[in-house]
Amino acid sequence: MHQSSSEPWYTKGLGKGGCGCLKRYSELDMTRSHDSFSYWVDEKSPVGPDQATAIKRLARISLVRRIMKKWSVTQNLTFKEQLEGGIRYFDLRVSSKPGEIGQEIYFIHGLFGITVWDGLKEINTFLEQHPKEVIFLDFNHFYAMGDSHHHFLINRIRSAFESKLCAVECVEYVTLQYMWEKKHQVLIFYHHPLHEEYPFLWPGNKMPAPWANTTNVHKLLQFLETTLEERSRYGTFHVSQAILTPRVKTIARHLIRGLKNTLVHRNLPMILNWVKEQKPGVMGVNIITSDFVELVDFAATVIALNDLLLEEDESTSKS
């Protein structure tokens, strides 16, 4: 597993020569883990409020919760292990626990995960050890949360990262050099109207992430191509969600096998080949999402695409 040094690994080489660190984040390539926190979900806890009533009833049976876990888990690595492996963008779904006293917020994907506070502390420990690293945290689904829960969570975020938080700015201003000069390390995307009350919460529309919602890898790759062609040239980042989504009948047919053995293992090589053919830049890929990021050399493959930017700069400077 790669341990980061003073130079950010996900922008390998871009800090050299003073040129790469001026590249906009909207032009760089980064890897995003899908449902990043789901490496641990509690099959003994109640089913989360993100599930339909019928599922909640069925899940009173412990066997059903064990099966749910097979389909809820999309990552094997902890936050620390993902960071060490080159992941710099985390996809986060959160919820309160209905009936629990207090306002504690948990990660959730069908079943409850660890507390958000524990996850934030783990990420901050990594940032303390690597002051030139920059991460994106995308809070995009909220369940069983009123305004008081949101304010509680936002204060947790502020307490965890403090001056590392980057205030909302024009997307085109955000480069490695900008982040280093400001001593910022964290961008928070918050898909809720309350983002307007906090200067360090970036609105969700700055991070569009079109979703193919298919089990068919060929349809997925066509969707990724189409949405890249439609990508906005300026003013936003862009997520390519290179993930397959099981249907109810998919789960019913492969109940015990789970997500990894049913959809991910056999299709990830084809998805990785698509990634290798991509280019970074204004109209290229920007952030690419994957399940089980450790199964293939996913992060390293995405990061290597940034070399194309350096080669482009070198050829331009010589001509």
Side-chain angles (χ1 to χ4, degrees):
M1 191 73 68
H2 182 98
Q3 285 285 354
S4 180
S5 62
S6 59
E7 181 190 342
W9 185 45
Y10 67 92
T11 48
K12 181 186 63 172
L14 291 180
K16 296 174 182 174
C19 181
C21 62
L22 298 177
K23 289 294 180 186
R24 299 165 177 167
Y25 268 88
S26 56
E27 297 176 27
L28 295 175
D29 285 347
M30 299 167 60
T31 310
R32 172 191 196 239
S33 55
H34 177 227
D35 288 316
S36 311
F37 52 86
S38 64
Y39 54 86
W40 186 85
V41 291
D42 184 4
E43 63 186 68
K44 294 179 181 178
S45 76
V47 172
D50 59 334
Q51 296 300 300
T53 304
I55 298 293
K56 291 177 186 175
R57 290 198 188 108
L58 279 172
R60 291 170 185 163
I61 306 166
S62 60
L63 175 61
V64 173
R65 289 200 298 276
R66 285 201 294 273
I67 292 169
M68 280 187 69
K69 184 174 181 178
K70 286 181 174 287
W71 292 92
S72 294
V73 171
T74 62
Q75 304 298 332
N76 287 328
L77 304 181
T78 65
F79 281 128
K80 180 176 183 287
E81 290 167 338
Q82 290 181 51
L83 285 161
E84 290 173 346
I87 305 302
R88 292 297 179 272
Y89 187 126
F90 294 104
D91 166 38
L92 309 172
R93 302 177 184 216
V94 298
S95 175
S96 70
K97 271 190 184 177
E100 182 178 88
I101 296 172
Q103 296 180 308
E104 196 62 72
I105 306 299
Y106 298 80
F107 295 118
I108 192 166
H109 191 218
L111 299 166
F112 285 99
I114 64 172
T115 67
V116 174
W117 178 242
D118 284 342
L120 297 181
K121 286 191 296 182
E122 186 175 356
I123 291 167
N124 188 58
T125 297
F126 178 88
L127 294 176
E128 290 282 342
Q129 296 166 352
H130 305 93
K132 284 197 169 184
E133 294 287 355
V134 175
I135 62 160
F136 289 21
L137 301 182
D138 191 352
F139 290 85
N140 50 55
H141 286 75
F142 305 95
Y143 301 96
M145 289 177 61
D147 283 359
S148 62
H149 291 103
H150 280 282
H151 289 300
F152 179 85
L153 172 58
I154 293 165
N155 284 323
R156 286 292 215 192
I157 294 168
R158 181 160 48 195
S159 296
F161 300 118
E162 298 177 334
S163 62
K164 296 184 186 72
L165 292 165
C166 178
V168 178
E169 188 51 272
C170 173
V171 167
E172 280 69 42
Y173 289 173
V174 185
T175 65
L176 267 176
Q177 188 67 41
Y178 175 87
M179 297 296 283
W180 291 345
E181 287 175 358
K182 301 282 187 181
K183 297 191 181 336
H184 294 327
Q185 291 182 267
V186 185
L187 272 71
I188 304 288
F189 296 87
Y190 206 83
H191 298 241
H192 188 276
L194 277 175
H195 76 80
E196 296 177 356
E197 297 183 20
Y198 296 87
F200 58 86
L201 296 182
W202 290 64
N205 62 13
K206 294 292 184 185
M207 187 61 73
W211 175 41
N213 192 16
T214 181
T215 58
N216 184 300
V217 68
H218 301 288
K219 288 181 180 178
L220 169 65
L221 298 182
Q222 182 56 56
F223 177 85
L224 293 175
E225 290 287 346
T226 301
T227 51
L228 266 182
E229 291 168 7
E230 297 169 353
R231 175 187 172 183
S232 176
R233 290 180 66 88
Y234 303 104
T236 70
F237 302 95
H238 182 83
V239 178
S240 297
Q241 295 207 65
I243 56 172
L244 295 166
T245 306
R247 301 267 193 267
V248 172
K249 64 181 181 181
T250 313
I251 297 172
R253 285 175 185 165
H254 307 280
L255 210 56
I256 306 300
R257 287 172 57 104
L259 177 69
K260 181 165 69 172
N261 293 325
T262 303
L263 288 179
V264 180
H265 260 309
R266 63 194 174 99
N267 291 306
L268 206 48
M270 192 178 296
I271 292 171
L272 193 67
N273 285 337
W274 177 83
V275 171
K276 289 175 181 177
E277 295 170 357
Q278 301 311 302
K279 293 182 179 179
V282 175
M283 295 308 290
V285 289
N286 181 199
I287 296 154
I288 307 179
T289 305
S290 177
D291 289 321
F292 299 103
V293 291
E294 82 288 350
L295 289 184
V296 292
D297 223 359
F298 200 88
T301 302
V302 173
I303 293 160
L305 296 175
N306 289 318
D307 289 342
L308 297 173
L309 286 175
L310 293 175
E311 292 167 9
E312 187 179 289
D313 287 339
E314 287 172 5
S315 62
T316 302
S317 62
K318 288 176 183 176
S319 59

mmCIF file of all heavy atoms in Angstrom, residues 39-71:
data_model
loop_
_atom_site.group_PDB
_atom_site.id
_atom_site.type_symbol
_atom_site.label_atom_id
_atom_site.label_comp_id
_atom_site.label_asym_id
_atom_site.label_seq_id
_atom_site.Cartn_x
_atom_site.Cartn_y
_atom_site.Cartn_z
ATOM 1 N N TYR A 39 -17.352 -0.207 4.455
ATOM 2 C CA TYR A 39 -16.484 -1.328 4.814
ATOM 3 C C TYR A 39 -16.941 -1.972 6.123
ATOM 4 O O TYR A 39 -16.628 -3.119 6.399
ATOM 5 C CB TYR A 39 -15.026 -0.854 4.946
ATOM 6 C CG TYR A 39 -14.825 0.311 5.901
ATOM 7 C CD1 TYR A 39 -14.639 0.088 7.265
ATOM 8 C CD2 TYR A 39 -14.826 1.628 5.430
ATOM 9 C CE1 TYR A 39 -14.467 1.149 8.141
ATOM 10 C CE2 TYR A 39 -14.654 2.685 6.299
ATOM 11 C CZ TYR A 39 -14.485 2.442 7.652
ATOM 12 O OH TYR A 39 -14.328 3.504 8.519
ATOM 13 N N TRP A 40 -17.672 -1.207 6.947
ATOM 14 C CA TRP A 40 -18.234 -1.799 8.169
ATOM 15 C C TRP A 40 -19.670 -1.325 8.337
ATOM 16 O O TRP A 40 -19.927 -0.117 8.429
ATOM 17 C CB TRP A 40 -17.426 -1.411 9.414
ATOM 18 C CG TRP A 40 -17.915 -2.143 10.637
ATOM 19 C CD1 TRP A 40 -17.544 -3.387 11.054
ATOM 20 C CD2 TRP A 40 -18.910 -1.698 11.573
ATOM 21 N NE1 TRP A 40 -18.228 -3.738 12.197
ATOM 22 C CE2 TRP A 40 -19.074 -2.719 12.547
ATOM 23 C CE3 TRP A 40 -19.682 -0.541 11.697
ATOM 24 C CZ2 TRP A 40 -19.960 -2.622 13.617
ATOM 25 C CZ3 TRP A 40 -20.573 -0.438 12.763
ATOM 26 C CH2 TRP A 40 -20.703 -1.472 13.708
ATOM 27 N N VAL A 41 -20.596 -2.256 8.305
ATOM 28 C CA VAL A 41 -21.994 -1.949 8.627
ATOM 29 C C VAL A 41 -22.455 -2.935 9.695
ATOM 30 O O VAL A 41 -22.006 -4.084 9.746
ATOM 31 C CB VAL A 41 -22.917 -2.016 7.386
ATOM 32 C CG1 VAL A 41 -22.626 -0.883 6.424
ATOM 33 C CG2 VAL A 41 -22.809 -3.363 6.688
ATOM 34 N N ASP A 42 -23.328 -2.460 10.550
ATOM 35 C CA ASP A 42 -23.738 -3.219 11.727
ATOM 36 C C ASP A 42 -24.998 -4.030 11.432
ATOM 37 O O ASP A 42 -26.105 -3.493 11.410
ATOM 38 C CB ASP A 42 -23.990 -2.240 12.880
ATOM 39 C CG ASP A 42 -24.320 -2.950 14.187
ATOM 40 O OD1 ASP A 42 -24.273 -4.200 14.195
ATOM 41 O OD2 ASP A 42 -24.615 -2.257 15.166
ATOM 42 N N GLU A 43 -24.808 -5.339 11.189
ATOM 43 C CA GLU A 43 -25.971 -6.173 10.853
ATOM 44 C C GLU A 43 -26.851 -6.444 12.070
ATOM 45 O O GLU A 43 -27.962 -6.973 11.939
ATOM 46 C CB GLU A 43 -25.528 -7.488 10.219
ATOM 47 C CG GLU A 43 -24.707 -8.374 11.108
ATOM 48 C CD GLU A 43 -24.191 -9.599 10.361
ATOM 49 O OE1 GLU A 43 -23.332 -9.435 9.470
ATOM 50 O OE2 GLU A 43 -24.658 -10.703 10.676
ATOM 51 N N LYS A 44 -26.391 -6.064 13.253
ATOM 52 C CA LYS A 44 -27.205 -6.247 14.466
ATOM 53 C C LYS A 44 -28.082 -5.031 14.762
ATOM 54 O O LYS A 44 -28.986 -5.102 15.585
ATOM 55 C CB LYS A 44 -26.297 -6.531 15.664
ATOM 56 C CG LYS A 44 -25.558 -7.855 15.547
ATOM 57 C CD LYS A 44 -24.652 -8.093 16.747
ATOM 58 C CE LYS A 44 -23.902 -9.415 16.591
ATOM 59 N NZ LYS A 44 -22.970 -9.640 17.724
ATOM 60 N N SER A 45 -27.795 -3.930 14.107
ATOM 61 C CA SER A 45 -28.583 -2.717 14.348
ATOM 62 C C SER A 45 -29.869 -2.761 13.515
ATOM 63 O O SER A 45 -29.993 -3.564 12.581
ATOM 64 C CB SER A 45 -27.777 -1.478 13.959
ATOM 65 O OG SER A 45 -27.738 -1.335 12.551
ATOM 66 N N PRO A 46 -30.835 -1.892 13.824
ATOM 67 C CA PRO A 46 -32.039 -1.837 12.992
ATOM 68 C C PRO A 46 -31.691 -1.434 11.561
ATOM 69 O O PRO A 46 -30.675 -0.786 11.317
ATOM 70 C CB PRO A 46 -32.889 -0.750 13.672
ATOM 71 C CG PRO A 46 -32.305 -0.574 15.029
ATOM 72 C CD PRO A 46 -30.859 -0.927 14.928
ATOM 73 N N VAL A 47 -32.538 -1.817 10.626
ATOM 74 C CA VAL A 47 -32.353 -1.396 9.236
ATOM 75 C C VAL A 47 -32.566 0.112 9.161
ATOM 76 O O VAL A 47 -33.400 0.682 9.869
ATOM 77 C CB VAL A 47 -33.342 -2.144 8.321
ATOM 78 C CG1 VAL A 47 -33.309 -1.589 6.914
ATOM 79 C CG2 VAL A 47 -32.989 -3.623 8.304
ATOM 80 N N GLY A 48 -31.816 0.760 8.307
ATOM 81 C CA GLY A 48 -31.844 2.215 8.244
ATOM 82 C C GLY A 48 -33.094 2.795 7.612
ATOM 83 O O GLY A 48 -33.828 2.109 6.889
ATOM 84 N N PRO A 49 -33.339 4.083 7.860
ATOM 85 C CA PRO A 49 -34.502 4.767 7.284
ATOM 86 C C PRO A 49 -34.404 4.993 5.778
ATOM 87 O O PRO A 49 -35.335 5.517 5.171
ATOM 88 C CB PRO A 49 -34.542 6.098 8.048
ATOM 89 C CG PRO A 49 -33.162 6.298 8.544
ATOM 90 C CD PRO A 49 -32.595 4.941 8.785
ATOM 91 N N ASP A 50 -33.281 4.585 5.175
ATOM 92 C CA ASP A 50 -33.154 4.674 3.716
ATOM 93 C C ASP A 50 -33.817 3.492 3.018
ATOM 94 O O ASP A 50 -33.842 3.434 1.787
ATOM 95 C CB ASP A 50 -31.686 4.784 3.297
ATOM 96 C CG ASP A 50 -30.838 3.598 3.758
ATOM 97 O OD1 ASP A 50 -31.205 2.971 4.773
ATOM 98 O OD2 ASP A 50 -29.815 3.316 3.115
ATOM 99 N N GLN A 51 -34.369 2.548 3.789
ATOM 100 C CA GLN A 51 -34.973 1.346 3.209
ATOM 101 C C GLN A 51 -36.502 1.402 3.254
ATOM 102 O O GLN A 51 -37.095 2.056 4.125
ATOM 103 C CB GLN A 51 -34.492 0.104 3.950
ATOM 104 C CG GLN A 51 -32.997 -0.145 3.809
ATOM 105 C CD GLN A 51 -32.580 -0.348 2.364
ATOM 106 O OE1 GLN A 51 -33.039 -1.260 1.692
ATOM 107 N NE2 GLN A 51 -31.699 0.526 1.875
ATOM 108 N N ALA A 52 -37.139 0.683 2.317
ATOM 109 C CA ALA A 52 -38.604 0.634 2.246
ATOM 110 C C ALA A 52 -39.168 -0.102 3.469
ATOM 111 O O ALA A 52 -38.500 -0.939 4.083
ATOM 112 C CB ALA A 52 -39.037 -0.085 0.971
ATOM 113 N N THR A 53 -40.415 0.191 3.786
ATOM 114 C CA THR A 53 -41.076 -0.415 4.949
ATOM 115 C C THR A 53 -41.071 -1.935 4.871
ATOM 116 O O THR A 53 -40.842 -2.628 5.868
ATOM 117 C CB THR A 53 -42.527 0.091 5.062
ATOM 118 O OG1 THR A 53 -42.500 1.520 5.124
ATOM 119 C CG2 THR A 53 -43.217 -0.452 6.296
ATOM 120 N N ALA A 54 -41.310 -2.485 3.678
ATOM 121 C CA ALA A 54 -41.341 -3.945 3.512
ATOM 122 C C ALA A 54 -39.992 -4.565 3.869
ATOM 123 O O ALA A 54 -39.923 -5.633 4.493
ATOM 124 C CB ALA A 54 -41.725 -4.303 2.085
ATOM 125 N N ILE A 55 -38.898 -3.913 3.483
ATOM 126 C CA ILE A 55 -37.559 -4.406 3.799
ATOM 127 C C ILE A 55 -37.330 -4.363 5.305
ATOM 128 O O ILE A 55 -36.763 -5.281 5.899
ATOM 129 C CB ILE A 55 -36.476 -3.566 3.077
ATOM 130 C CG1 ILE A 55 -36.636 -3.673 1.550
ATOM 131 C CG2 ILE A 55 -35.080 -3.990 3.502
ATOM 132 C CD1 ILE A 55 -36.359 -5.031 0.985
ATOM 133 N N LYS A 56 -37.793 -3.285 5.936
ATOM 134 C CA LYS A 56 -37.623 -3.157 7.388
ATOM 135 C C LYS A 56 -38.323 -4.301 8.121
ATOM 136 O O LYS A 56 -37.811 -4.829 9.115
ATOM 137 C CB LYS A 56 -38.172 -1.811 7.870
ATOM 138 C CG LYS A 56 -37.363 -0.608 7.409
ATOM 139 C CD LYS A 56 -38.028 0.684 7.871
ATOM 140 C CE LYS A 56 -37.316 1.894 7.301
ATOM 141 N NZ LYS A 56 -38.007 3.153 7.629
ATOM 142 N N ARG A 57 -39.507 -4.673 7.633
ATOM 143 C CA ARG A 57 -40.241 -5.776 8.260
ATOM 144 C C ARG A 57 -39.488 -7.094 8.101
ATOM 145 O O ARG A 57 -39.321 -7.864 9.045
ATOM 146 C CB ARG A 57 -41.643 -5.888 7.651
ATOM 147 C CG ARG A 57 -42.571 -4.742 8.036
ATOM 148 C CD ARG A 57 -44.029 -5.117 7.772
ATOM 149 N NE ARG A 57 -44.910 -3.975 7.951
ATOM 150 C CZ ARG A 57 -45.523 -3.323 6.974
ATOM 151 N NH1 ARG A 57 -45.340 -3.700 5.717
ATOM 152 N NH2 ARG A 57 -46.303 -2.296 7.224
ATOM 153 N N LEU A 58 -39.027 -7.354 6.866
ATOM 154 C CA LEU A 58 -38.291 -8.591 6.599
ATOM 155 C C LEU A 58 -37.006 -8.670 7.415
ATOM 156 O O LEU A 58 -36.593 -9.742 7.856
ATOM 157 C CB LEU A 58 -37.940 -8.673 5.107
ATOM 158 C CG LEU A 58 -39.028 -9.160 4.150
ATOM 159 C CD1 LEU A 58 -38.559 -8.984 2.720
ATOM 160 C CD2 LEU A 58 -39.352 -10.634 4.433
ATOM 161 N N ALA A 59 -36.386 -7.494 7.610
ATOM 162 C CA ALA A 59 -35.077 -7.460 8.258
ATOM 163 C C ALA A 59 -35.131 -7.726 9.755
ATOM 164 O O ALA A 59 -34.093 -7.745 10.424
ATOM 165 C CB ALA A 59 -34.406 -6.111 7.993
ATOM 166 N N ARG A 60 -36.328 -7.971 10.273
ATOM 167 C CA ARG A 60 -36.407 -8.412 11.667
ATOM 168 C C ARG A 60 -35.795 -9.803 11.819
ATOM 169 O O ARG A 60 -35.432 -10.227 12.914
ATOM 170 C CB ARG A 60 -37.870 -8.421 12.128
ATOM 171 C CG ARG A 60 -38.458 -7.011 12.254
ATOM 172 C CD ARG A 60 -39.961 -7.048 12.475
ATOM 173 N NE ARG A 60 -40.528 -5.707 12.483
ATOM 174 C CZ ARG A 60 -41.825 -5.432 12.332
ATOM 175 N NH1 ARG A 60 -42.688 -6.428 12.172
ATOM 176 N NH2 ARG A 60 -42.255 -4.184 12.354
ATOM 177 N N ILE A 61 -35.680 -10.507 10.697
ATOM 178 C CA ILE A 61 -35.036 -11.828 10.669
ATOM 179 C C ILE A 61 -33.533 -11.614 10.477
ATOM 180 O O ILE A 61 -33.113 -10.940 9.537
ATOM 181 C CB ILE A 61 -35.597 -12.686 9.513
ATOM 182 C CG1 ILE A 61 -37.123 -12.763 9.612
ATOM 183 C CG2 ILE A 61 -34.965 -14.060 9.498
ATOM 184 C CD1 ILE A 61 -37.787 -13.288 8.353
ATOM 185 N N SER A 62 -32.729 -12.170 11.356
ATOM 186 C CA SER A 62 -31.281 -11.918 11.319
ATOM 187 C C SER A 62 -30.649 -12.367 10.005
ATOM 188 O O SER A 62 -29.719 -11.734 9.499
ATOM 189 C CB SER A 62 -30.585 -12.592 12.503
ATOM 190 O OG SER A 62 -30.798 -13.987 12.474
ATOM 191 N N LEU A 63 -31.148 -13.470 9.414
ATOM 192 C CA LEU A 63 -30.610 -13.947 8.138
ATOM 193 C C LEU A 63 -30.780 -12.895 7.045
ATOM 194 O O LEU A 63 -29.890 -12.703 6.209
ATOM 195 C CB LEU A 63 -31.305 -15.249 7.719
ATOM 196 C CG LEU A 63 -30.921 -15.797 6.337
ATOM 197 C CD1 LEU A 63 -29.427 -16.123 6.289
ATOM 198 C CD2 LEU A 63 -31.758 -17.023 5.979
ATOM 199 N N VAL A 64 -31.905 -12.204 7.054
ATOM 200 C CA VAL A 64 -32.160 -11.157 6.056
ATOM 201 C C VAL A 64 -31.132 -10.041 6.198
ATOM 202 O O VAL A 64 -30.603 -9.534 5.209
ATOM 203 C CB VAL A 64 -33.594 -10.601 6.192
ATOM 204 C CG1 VAL A 64 -33.800 -9.388 5.277
ATOM 205 C CG2 VAL A 64 -34.610 -11.692 5.870
ATOM 206 N N ARG A 65 -30.802 -9.674 7.444
ATOM 207 C CA ARG A 65 -29.812 -8.616 7.651
ATOM 208 C C ARG A 65 -28.426 -9.058 7.186
ATOM 209 O O ARG A 65 -27.652 -8.252 6.661
ATOM 210 C CB ARG A 65 -29.789 -8.183 9.117
ATOM 211 C CG ARG A 65 -31.023 -7.410 9.544
ATOM 212 C CD ARG A 65 -30.791 -6.577 10.799
ATOM 213 N NE ARG A 65 -30.451 -7.385 11.948
ATOM 214 C CZ ARG A 65 -31.336 -7.984 12.743
ATOM 215 N NH1 ARG A 65 -32.639 -7.848 12.495
ATOM 216 N NH2 ARG A 65 -30.951 -8.681 13.782
ATOM 217 N N ARG A 66 -28.119 -10.335 7.347
ATOM 218 C CA ARG A 66 -26.824 -10.839 6.865
ATOM 219 C C ARG A 66 -26.748 -10.763 5.338
ATOM 220 O O ARG A 66 -25.713 -10.441 4.766
ATOM 221 C CB ARG A 66 -26.599 -12.274 7.349
ATOM 222 C CG ARG A 66 -26.221 -12.360 8.822
ATOM 223 C CD ARG A 66 -25.513 -13.671 9.159
ATOM 224 N NE ARG A 66 -26.377 -14.830 8.998
ATOM 225 C CZ ARG A 66 -27.186 -15.292 9.935
ATOM 226 N NH1 ARG A 66 -27.281 -14.666 11.106
ATOM 227 N NH2 ARG A 66 -27.926 -16.367 9.735
ATOM 228 N N ILE A 67 -27.864 -11.083 4.686
ATOM 229 C CA ILE A 67 -27.918 -10.977 3.220
ATOM 230 C C ILE A 67 -27.823 -9.510 2.796
ATOM 231 O O ILE A 67 -27.120 -9.167 1.838
ATOM 232 C CB ILE A 67 -29.205 -11.633 2.684
ATOM 233 C CG1 ILE A 67 -29.148 -13.157 2.885
ATOM 234 C CG2 ILE A 67 -29.409 -11.295 1.208
ATOM 235 C CD1 ILE A 67 -30.457 -13.869 2.624
ATOM 236 N N MET A 68 -28.521 -8.640 3.532
ATOM 237 C CA MET A 68 -28.448 -7.202 3.227
ATOM 238 C C MET A 68 -27.007 -6.708 3.270
ATOM 239 O O MET A 68 -26.592 -5.897 2.438
ATOM 240 C CB MET A 68 -29.292 -6.406 4.223
ATOM 241 C CG MET A 68 -30.769 -6.396 3.944
ATOM 242 S SD MET A 68 -31.627 -5.273 5.074
ATOM 243 C CE MET A 68 -31.031 -3.685 4.486
ATOM 244 N N LYS A 69 -26.261 -7.193 4.248
ATOM 245 C CA LYS A 69 -24.864 -6.759 4.380
ATOM 246 C C LYS A 69 -24.067 -7.099 3.123
ATOM 247 O O LYS A 69 -23.235 -6.302 2.671
ATOM 248 C CB LYS A 69 -24.236 -7.416 5.612
ATOM 249 C CG LYS A 69 -22.812 -6.960 5.882
ATOM 250 C CD LYS A 69 -22.282 -7.516 7.195
ATOM 251 C CE LYS A 69 -20.869 -7.032 7.453
ATOM 252 N NZ LYS A 69 -20.344 -7.515 8.750
ATOM 253 N N LYS A 70 -24.316 -8.262 2.539
ATOM 254 C CA LYS A 70 -23.611 -8.664 1.317
ATOM 255 C C LYS A 70 -23.867 -7.702 0.162
ATOM 256 O O LYS A 70 -23.055 -7.572 -0.750
ATOM 257 C CB LYS A 70 -24.024 -10.075 0.907
ATOM 258 C CG LYS A 70 -23.429 -11.181 1.779
ATOM 259 C CD LYS A 70 -23.874 -12.541 1.283
ATOM 260 C CE LYS A 70 -23.179 -13.658 2.054
ATOM 261 N NZ LYS A 70 -21.766 -13.789 1.662
ATOM 262 N N TRP A 71 -25.034 -7.037 0.191
ATOM 263 C CA TRP A 71 -25.388 -6.113 -0.886
ATOM 264 C C TRP A 71 -25.186 -4.649 -0.501
ATOM 265 O O TRP A 71 -25.224 -3.775 -1.356
ATOM 266 C CB TRP A 71 -26.831 -6.362 -1.318
ATOM 267 C CG TRP A 71 -26.973 -7.690 -1.986
ATOM 268 C CD1 TRP A 71 -27.296 -8.882 -1.413
ATOM 269 C CD2 TRP A 71 -26.756 -7.963 -3.372
ATOM 270 N NE1 TRP A 71 -27.290 -9.892 -2.346
ATOM 271 C CE2 TRP A 71 -26.968 -9.359 -3.565
ATOM 272 C CE3 TRP A 71 -26.404 -7.191 -4.476
ATOM 273 C CZ2 TRP A 71 -26.838 -9.968 -4.811
ATOM 274 C CZ3 TRP A 71 -26.274 -7.795 -5.713
ATOM 275 C CH2 TRP A 71 -26.487 -9.169 -5.868
#
